[in-house]
Each structure stands twice: as structure tokens, then as C-alpha cells.
Amino acid sequence: MIRFDAQENAFYLDNGRITYCFGVVKEGYLECRYFGRHIRRCQGSARPSYFDRGFCSNPDPQDKRFSLDTLPQEYPGMNQGDFRSPAYVIQTDDGRRVTRFLYQGYEIFQGKPPLPGLPATYVEHSQEAQTLVVHLADAHTRAQIHLYYTIFQDYDAICRHVEVVNDGSHPLWLERLMAMSMDLPRGTYDLLTLSGSHLMEKVVSRRPLTADTVVLDSCRGASSPQQTPCVILTDPQTNEHQGQVWGVNFVYSGDFQGVVQTSQYGDVRVQMGLNPLTFGWNLEPGQRFVSPECVLVYSSAGLNGMSHTFHRLYTQRLCRGPWRDRVRPILLNSWEAFTFSIDEGKCISLAKQAAELGMELFVLDDGWFKNRVDDRRALGDWVADPVKFPHGLGSLAQGVRDAGVDFGIWFEPEMVSYDSDLYRSHPDWVIRSPFYDPVLSRSQLVLDLSNPAVCDYLVQAVSAVLEETQASYVKWDMNRHITDLGSAWLSTGQQRELSHRYMLGLYQVLDQLNQRFPQVLFEGCSSGGGRFDAGMLHYMPQTWASDNTDAVCRLQIQAGTSLLFPPVTMGCHVSAVPNHQTGRVTSLQTRFAAALGGNLGYEMDIRTLTPEEQEEVKGQIHTYKALRETVQHGTFYRLLDPQQHNDGGWNIVSQDGNTVVCCQYRILADPLRRTTVVHLQGLDPEATYRRQSDGVCFGGDELMYAGLSDQPVRQDFVHVLSVFEKVAE
Ligand code: DGJ
């Protein structure tokens, strides 16, 4: 899959479906040549023309046509005549930022090495992938940059990261270090991003790329609900089903920067990496720094094609542990109905009712630990409140299991309240500057996870509860962003390292807990989908997609999320109406239809359901269980553009191809009652499919090419759920 062509001085990464090619020019510079659909060779038929342009700097004085400012590059530096966005900036110990990293050589090997301390895609057998490492070196500092590229046999993705090694005798200061940089040729592209906010995460935004630089970033200490660390470029005519797509996604959960820069000559630079605003790293002689990983996907089959690659790669080779391949439990969560006023009696009665309705897991959310009567106190003290739980958590968990469902529990381990025993005994464990009172958010402070003692405490505190309760599920929350970046643990010279060290500490804590409790299903959360990213999925195979449980908003949030992440990674709950966030009233049926597009749960006081509603919920759970394998492990297709808000639809095809679940929805009623037709995807055109609801049989070709219509009614917020089974020939 990877070869070096000595004649062309070029590297080819190729799995028969995609080709990634770059060359070595002037014996030192890496020229980006092609990333796209498989081609046999890349001899330069589309190479840009080079000539002596105004303001061009010439590293080779004999060749005025050659300038780094016009060369499409793989990993450009600064101070060498490329005035576009640099991939790295390294300050030397004389205070300057002038370096010359030039090509030295390469290695190719089978498999894919892990990234120490960082989340990353992986292989189970070395034959699944090949890795190329390209070595660059700077003669003056004797530092090296190693560029890593992995291509997979079965996924149309290239994974990139970089390492910097200081082999010299003076310290270096890393100011900027992107995980990847790539220059796409001049053309007309659209840029798609997933932007949002708390309660409205991952909203798709699409615009034509014209000129200038677009920067996407987070400096919040989390990937954040505002920006997702991904850049998606498409041809202007690309839609869900056809057209070219280049998707870049960062496997990281902290501060990031994505850059899309249209150069003065129209080519497009794409970069993704750690956010230089909050990143800096002191690299002493002999030390190595490893950047997080970036996944680059190419699809010539539209946005669904890109999503399929991310979905398959992430569920099969990013998520880990026994839950990776299992179906996920239907849960009842205590939060929206009870917030902090939860106690043993309520838990047991809810668990009994949940079991009767067919649910499988009861999750005790916030409010269970000592003194936690509101959000102003107690974070950090992970021991049960003796008033609410007089018999302790072990007995509660057993009571829940005796009622017929498993037991799960909520934590927000990265945080601490002023009013807590933890803060009183360790005020120096908080992220802050000694000179100012730290800014509070949700009345809480952030623990300094760069300090190993803090990480040890978290592992021990969470483990004690998991051991006592034998919990099978943990919801891991994070409800504020980080300010006052300062650490009592780190030295003066290391303060700029805090943001990244925080993430390394968090990843280490999660890794230890994963190893200690492999049977526990972890679900990530950050006030909803505030940290729904590929980094977290390595430790927690699902994430609570949004605090917004309104069925109408959820359709949009989940459709945006599905660009990168499949239904099995999304927590989706049916909640009470009027909805807590929007006040909107939708039917139980509509709320179920929205939650069906992910891992189903309920988040309401189910004891107050009428007998009719109870029957309806029982029916929903029965339906979901029958479809669960397909919904959670099938292939997901968006049928309509998620930006087109009133009508939507998706279908999922089971792994064996025999079951198809299709959901069509319409938000506001159309007075003309016009029909919306969706064209199903991924079916066998030759096969026949029987619709479960009425037994009518359709050809796969008809469902895909003629499509499936809805039945417009005079009502808002309606959906049609259709299940098809392939009929044996
Ligand atoms: C924010 C989460 O998103 C909610 O689901 C809930 O767990 C609260 N935190 C609890 O404080």
C-alpha cells in the first residue's frame, strides 16, 4: 500500500480506492501532489505552473521559479519564504524562530504504532495497515521532525501525526505544531463545518470558499460545543450521495485549531492541530514530543461516503473494549425528572418501573454525593450522601439490580467545588493563577490534571464507587470550560504546557479506569455534546449528544453529529413534555422516533405515565429491541440534507443486509399536503423487501430509484417509521 518511487522521487499511499501522493523536490522539500480517488500514477498532468512571481523568495538562487510560497507542501515551516500558515513554529534558545527542516529519508513498516498517552486509531493485525515515517532534520539545532502517515487496507482514510525529537544540546520551544498540513490544488470548494453551542451542538454550516483564511478553534479546554475539530471540503455540487469530499478530523478532546487558507494563487491549505494560543512545549535535549493524530478521509461518493468511512473506522478501530461490538442497553436516567432531589426510595421505585417497561439500566445522575443539594457545592467528594442514601450505594445498586435493571452512575471527576472536603484539603489542586480569584462557571473550579497526584486521586475515588456498586455504566460529565490557566504543580517554564498536559492527564485517568473496569460502559458528556469528539470515543464508546432533548432540535443535532459519528455513539433520550429546553410539546411517538436514531434511553418520571402511555413505551422498547442490532451496528445513510430543516430522513441497513429501518420526518405541516419522497440507500436493487407494517413487498430498485413517500397529515412534528425485511428468493 505504501511505496517510494525512486524515479519520480515520490511516495504513494494507495489502497486501490484512494491515493495520497507527495514528492521530494530540490532534495529537501516535500511537495503535496494528490489526495483523491485511486490513480495509478501521479506524473504531474495537473501540476501548477511555476514562474518568477513578485515577492517570491527563492531558496535556490539559481532557480527563480522555485518558491516555497507557491509550492504545495506537506509540512511547511516559517521563515523560509512560505508566507502562508506554517505547520510548525519552533523557537531556538537564541530567541529566534528560524529553522530549516529538510528531508532526510523515510521508513515503511507494516501496521500502525500506538501514540503514547494519546487516543488513536489502531490495528488488530499488522496486515491491516502500513505506516510511512518521513524524516526531516534541521542541521543547526540537530532537531528532527518525523511525519507519520498510516493507510488502511479497509478504510479510505489516512492517519497523520508528527513527532519532534530534540537531538541537539540546547532546549527548543514548540510554539505551534499541527498534526497535519495539506495543500489542495486551486479549485472551487465548499467548506462545511460543525458549529454550535450548548443545547444546539454540531449544526452543519456550508459556504463557498473564496479567499482569505478561515480559522476554527477552541481555547476552552475541551473540543467544545462551539466548534468541532473537523474541516470538510467538497466540490460545490457535492451532496449527500455524490461528489468529492475531503474530511479532516482531529482525534483530540482539548484545545485545537483548524485552518483553511486560500492562498493568493487560489490553492487551499488545510491544517489541524493543537491550538497555539494555549499550547507551548519546552523540549529539552534528548526529549521527544508526540502530537495527537488527525484522520483524513476522501470520498467520491458524497457526504454519506465520507461519513461511512469515519463511522466504520471509529466504531471498529478507534473505540475499544468489550462494548465496542455489543448492543447498548436501554436506560432510564434520573436527571431531567429529579435533578438534585433524588434518593434511595425514588431510585428503587424508578428501577422497578423501568424493569416493568422493558428497560435494562437505571442511571443515577447528579445529586447522589454528600451535600450535593444544588450545583454550588460538593463536587470532588465522591461518597454517597448519607441522608439520601442511608444504606449506602452498594445496597442501593443491589436494590436496583434486584428490581430487574443494571445500575449506572454519574460523575464529574475533573471538577471541584469550593465547598468540598477535597478543596479544603487540597486548594493547590485547582487550575488558577495565585494572583487572582479564579473565574467560576456553574459555581465550580477545574482540577489540575497535569498533577499526577490529582489523577491518582480521581482513579482511586471513581474506582472505590465502581467497586462498591459493581456499576455496569458510568456517565462522565464535564460542565465548565477552563479559565485562569495556571498550575501550582508545573514550573514557571511549563505553564504554557498546562492545556495539553491536562488532556494527557485526563486520557491517562480514563485509560486506567478502562483497564481496571473493562466491563463498564462509559458514556462521555459535557453538558451534552460539548466534548463529543473522536478523542473521547477511544475511552468511551458513546456520548450524550445534547442537553437539548426536544425531539425537533434533536433531529438536527443528530443529523449534524452523524457527519462524523454513527448512531451507536450517540445517547438519545425520550424526555417529558413540555420540553425542558424549548417548552415544545411533541407526541411520545415523535420523541421516540427522534431517540430511535441512536442509543435509546428515557429521561422522565416514568411513574407518572398514564396506563396508555406505559403501554406505548413498552411497545417502543419492544420495537427498539427488535431493531437495535440494525440501528446500532448497521450502515447509516442521511437521505436528505440536514441543512434543509423541515423534512428529513435516514435509513439504516443491517450488517447482513436483511433489515432496513427508515425514518422520515416532517417538522411543520405543509398546508398543501405535498408528498416528500426519500430515496433509500444501500439496498440490493435486485432483492425484494417486505414492509413489516402492512406486508407489502417492494423491489430494492424501486425503494432506491423511485423512492418512498410519506403520508402528509394536518399536524406538526410527524414521522413515518418503516421497517423492511429482505424476502428470501
Ligand atoms: C449536564 C449533563 O449534560 C446533564 O445530562 C446532567 O448530567 C447534568 N450535567 C448534571 O449536573
Side-chain angles (χ1 to χ4, degrees):
M1 286 187 282
I2 301 182
R3 67 190 160 88
F4 178 69
D5 185 312
Q7 250 181 352
E8 295 172 16
N9 240 347
F11 295 96
Y12 280 88
L13 291 88
D14 193 312
N15 63 10
R17 295 176 306 276
I18 58 168
T19 302
Y20 189 106
C21 176
F22 60 99
V24 184
V25 292
K26 297 275 180 196
E27 291 175 6
Y29 304 98
L30 299 180
E31 179 191 34
C32 221
R33 292 195 180 155
Y34 179 76
F35 180 33
R37 195 177 178 139
H38 162 76
I39 53 176
R40 283 165 296 153
R41 299 192 81 105
C42 185
Q43 307 245 62
S45 61
R47 184 166 285 161
S49 45
Y50 298 116
F51 48 89
D52 183 8
R53 297 177 192 264
F55 296 110
C56 277
S57 324
N58 310 116
D60 173 359
Q62 307 310 320
D63 185 357
K64 286 190 153 195
R65 293 178 319 143
F66 181 71
S67 167
L68 298 182
D69 213 22
T70 51
L71 185 74
Q73 293 195 70
E74 278 298 301
Y75 204 68
M78 71 179 283
N79 273 316
Q80 300 180 65
D82 182 347
F83 296 99
R84 293 169 288 177
S85 175
Y88 62 93
V89 177
I90 298 176
Q91 184 181 306
T92 47
D93 73 337
D94 60 359
R96 296 189 176 87
R97 299 185 298 173
V98 184
T99 52
R100 296 269 192 277
F101 281 88
L102 297 175
Y103 173 74
Q104 302 297 309
Y106 70 92
E107 288 162 70
I108 295 172
F109 50 87
Q110 279 302 126
K112 179 176 193 292
L115 273 65
L118 285 163
T121 57
Y122 59 88
V123 290
E124 288 193 337
H125 306 287
S126 63
Q127 293 76 7
E128 292 176 13
Q130 274 188 346
T131 299
L132 162 71
V133 191
V134 175
H135 307 297
L136 311 178
D138 177 60
H140 169 63
T141 58
R142 286 194 281 123
Q144 296 156 28
I145 297 180
H146 305 293
L147 307 179
Y148 280 73
Y149 298 80
T150 296
I151 183 163
F152 294 87
Q153 186 67 66
D154 289 340
Y155 309 97
D156 294 347
I158 309 273
C159 292
R160 290 183 58 177
H161 78 276
V162 303
E163 290 182 11
V164 186
V165 179
N166 185 354
D167 267 349
S169 46
H170 298 283
L172 296 172
W173 178 248
L174 308 184
E175 281 192 8
R176 176 182 180 86
L177 194 75
M178 294 285 117
M180 61 75 66
S181 183
M182 170 172 73
D183 288 344
L184 292 173
R186 176 168 180 252
T188 39
Y189 300 96
D190 277 2
L191 169 65
L192 268 80
T193 54
L194 296 174
S195 315
S197 57
H198 175 228
L199 300 182
M200 223 43 228
E201 296 89 345
K202 297 199 170 39
V203 177
V204 181
S205 146
R206 179 172 184 159
R207 65 279 206 186
L209 211 55
T210 50
D212 309 321
T213 304
V214 180
V215 175
L216 316 165
D217 66 358
S218 166
C219 57
R220 294 169 172 271
S223 49
S224 94
Q226 284 74 22
Q227 292 284 348
T228 298
C230 87
V231 167
I232 299 167
L233 292 179
T234 68
D235 287 336
Q237 67 278 14
T238 291
N239 62 24
E240 288 294 347
H241 314 297
Q242 55 201 23
Q244 300 202 92
V245 186
W246 295 263
V248 173
N249 185 215
F250 202 24
V251 185
Y252 191 63
S253 316
D255 295 351
F256 71 91
Q257 186 183 81
V259 175
V260 184
Q261 184 174 47
T262 308
S263 83
Q264 52 188 327
Y265 305 113
D267 37 6
V268 176
R269 175 160 292 175
V270 180
Q271 296 178 329
M272 182 65 78
L274 297 165
N275 188 343
L277 186 62
T278 52
F279 170 73
W281 202 270
N282 192 27
L283 203 64
E284 294 294 333
Q287 287 184 340
R288 168 185 300 259
F289 180 84
V290 181
S291 85
E293 167 169 289
C294 216
V295 179
L296 284 64
V297 167
Y298 171 79
S299 155
S300 55
L303 290 162
N304 272 312
M306 175 200 73
S307 299
H308 289 160
T309 299
F310 278 122
H311 291 187
R312 288 178 55 246
L313 179 64
Y314 286 173
T315 50
Q316 295 166 6
R317 292 295 180 266
L318 177 67
C319 295
R320 300 175 296 173
W323 282 101
R324 185 188 74 176
D325 305 321
R326 282 191 204 155
V327 292
R328 310 289 164 78
I330 302 171
L331 62 84
L332 175 71
N333 180 295
S334 64
W335 178 249
E336 279 208 14
F338 301 99
T339 63
F340 300 100
S341 70
I342 186 78
D343 59 33
E344 185 180 294
K346 284 178 185 161
C347 289
I348 298 295
S349 63
L350 284 164
K352 281 188 183 145
Q353 176 85 1
E356 267 165 41
L357 296 175
M359 299 177 197
E360 298 155 322
L361 169 71
F362 171 74
V363 179
L364 173 56
D365 208 285
D366 199 352
W368 60 265
F369 41 104
K370 199 177 63 169
N371 204 22
R372 181 71 166 173
V373 291
D374 57 28
D375 67 7
R376 306 179 74 84
R377 64 205 81 238
L379 285 170
D381 299 343
W382 301 109
V383 288
D385 187 308
V387 180
K388 293 173 179 172
F389 300 98
H391 302 101
L393 283 185
S395 145
L396 172 78
Q398 195 48 52
V400 165
R401 280 188 289 270
D402 291 345
V405 286
D406 286 337
F407 177 78
I409 191 160
W410 176 98
F411 292 93
E412 194 180 356
E414 298 156 68
M415 302 293 154
V416 63
S417 309
Y418 272 131
D419 183 2
S420 67
D421 292 342
L422 184 67
Y423 181 78
R424 282 182 282 272
S425 41
H426 296 287
D428 56 328
W429 279 12
V430 160
I431 291 185
R432 62 170 296 177
S433 151
F435 309 115
Y436 307 94
D437 284 337
V439 175
L440 295 182
S441 174
R442 211 193 187 206
S443 308
Q444 62 200 46
L445 301 151
V446 186
L447 289 170
D448 178 2
L449 270 61
S450 73
N451 181 342
V454 177
C455 295
D456 290 348
Y457 167 76
L458 295 189
V459 172
Q460 170 264 313
V462 173
S463 298
V465 175
L466 297 188
E467 268 151 20
E468 186 187 352
T469 58
Q470 297 294 300
S472 63
Y473 166 102
V474 165
K475 178 174 171 188
W476 185 289
D477 209 346
M478 192 265 192
N479 290 308
R480 69 155 289 179
H481 290 145
I482 306 182
T483 59
D484 298 276
L485 279 169
S487 163
W489 165 253
L490 297 175
S491 67
T492 307
Q494 290 175 312
Q495 293 296 323
R496 281 280 296 277
E497 301 175 8
L498 175 56
S499 295
H500 185 55
R501 284 190 184 273
Y502 177 91
M503 291 315 307
L504 294 177
L506 175 61
Y507 288 144
Q508 197 215 331
V509 167
L510 292 172
D511 213 31
Q512 282 187 36
L513 289 169
N514 278 179
Q515 281 173 32
R516 230 153 138 167
F517 302 97
Q519 297 306 328
V520 171
L521 170 61
F522 284 85
E523 174 153 355
C525 174
S526 177
S527 291
R531 203 164 56 183
F532 197 152
D533 57 58
M536 277 297 145
L537 286 181
H538 194 56
Y539 308 92
M540 315 202 219
Q542 61 188 61
T543 304
W544 176 226
S546 181
D547 271 357
N548 187 344
T549 53
D550 174 89
V552 174
C553 296
R554 268 300 186 125
L555 293 171
Q556 196 184 346
I557 295 166
Q558 292 165 203
T561 304
S562 78
L563 252 75
L564 298 174
F565 306 115
V568 71
T569 62
M570 297 182 214
C572 303
H573 299 175
V574 174
S575 64
V577 287
N579 180 267
H580 284 212
Q581 290 80 19
T582 61
R584 189 164 11 233
V585 177
T586 52
S587 70
L588 196 50
Q589 213 188 13
T590 294
R591 282 173 273 155
F592 171 64
L596 170 82
N599 296 329
L600 179 68
Y602 289 77
E603 191 152 340
M604 52 167 65
D605 187 352
I606 50 173
R607 301 170 308 175
T608 62
L609 294 173
T610 63
E612 294 74 33
E613 287 170 335
Q614 285 184 32
E615 282 312 304
E616 194 175 339
V617 169
K618 262 191 203 167
Q620 293 176 347
I621 290 172
H622 182 76
T623 303
Y624 188 78
K625 284 181 180 167
L627 303 178
R628 171 161 54 181
E629 182 68 46
T630 302
V631 169
Q632 298 185 357
H633 295 298
T635 305
F636 173 88
Y637 298 83
R638 286 175 303 277
L639 300 180
L640 295 171
D641 178 356
Q643 285 188 298
Q644 182 191 317
H645 298 317
N646 206 47
D647 295 303
W650 50 259
N651 80 259
I652 308 182
V653 182
S654 63
Q655 275 181 18
D656 63 9
N658 288 336
T659 307
V660 181
V661 183
C662 175
C663 184
Q664 289 163 270
Y665 50 85
R666 175 170 299 195
I667 309 297
L668 295 182
D670 174 5
L672 307 181
R673 286 201 258 165
R674 284 168 295 187
T675 309
T676 302
V677 174
V678 292
H679 297 263
L680 273 62
Q681 301 285 316
L683 277 60
D684 176 355
E686 303 293 324
T688 303
Y689 296 83
R690 179 185 295 117
R691 183 158 60 192
Q692 265 186 8
S693 58
D694 55 10
V696 177
C697 289
F698 301 94
D701 49 358
E702 182 181 353
L703 291 171
M704 291 199 294
Y705 311 146
L708 183 68
S709 58
D710 63 354
Q711 305 278 317
V713 288
R714 274 182 295 188
Q715 201 184 318
D716 294 337
F717 321 130
V718 289
H719 77 280
V720 185
L721 182 66
S722 313
V723 180
F724 298 92
E725 292 293 345
K726 199 192 250 182
V727 178
E729 293 308 323

